[in-house]
Amino acid sequence: MKFKIILESSEDGGFTAFVPSLPGCISEGNTENEAMRNIQEAIELYLEPIEDDHLIEDGAIIKELAL
């Protein structure tokens, strides 16, 4: 998978990294390389399934809503 990463300079001289396609997936680092390593880990954790993701009752109706 490929993700677009946005790197912005932080006030403290480091970098903030975020992934527009993964809301809330954000990390920081003192250097660009550190921020990229940290955001990679954040992406992996973001995409890791959690136990609650699969607790759908039989007969449940699943719908999507586009705004």
Side-chain angles (χ1 to χ4, degrees):
M1 275 188 253
K2 290 185 179 182
F3 295 96
K4 183 182 291 185
I5 309 300
I6 307 297
L7 286 170
E8 295 178 340
S9 297
S10 299
E11 292 179 10
D12 65 359
F15 291 88
T16 299
F18 66 94
V19 186
S21 61
L22 301 175
C25 189
I26 186 168
S27 193
E28 297 179 318
N30 292 324
T31 64
E32 285 185 44
N33 287 337
E34 183 179 12
M36 289 299 292
R37 284 193 308 271
N38 291 343
I39 198 64
Q40 180 176 348
E41 182 179 0
I43 292 168
E44 291 168 359
L45 291 170
Y46 188 101
L47 297 176
E48 185 175 286
I50 56 173
E51 291 177 21
D52 292 349
D53 284 348
H54 304 289
L55 297 178
I56 299 173
E57 300 281 329
D58 287 337
I61 298 171
I62 301 171
K63 298 199 176 242
E64 291 183 8
L65 177 64
L67 302 176

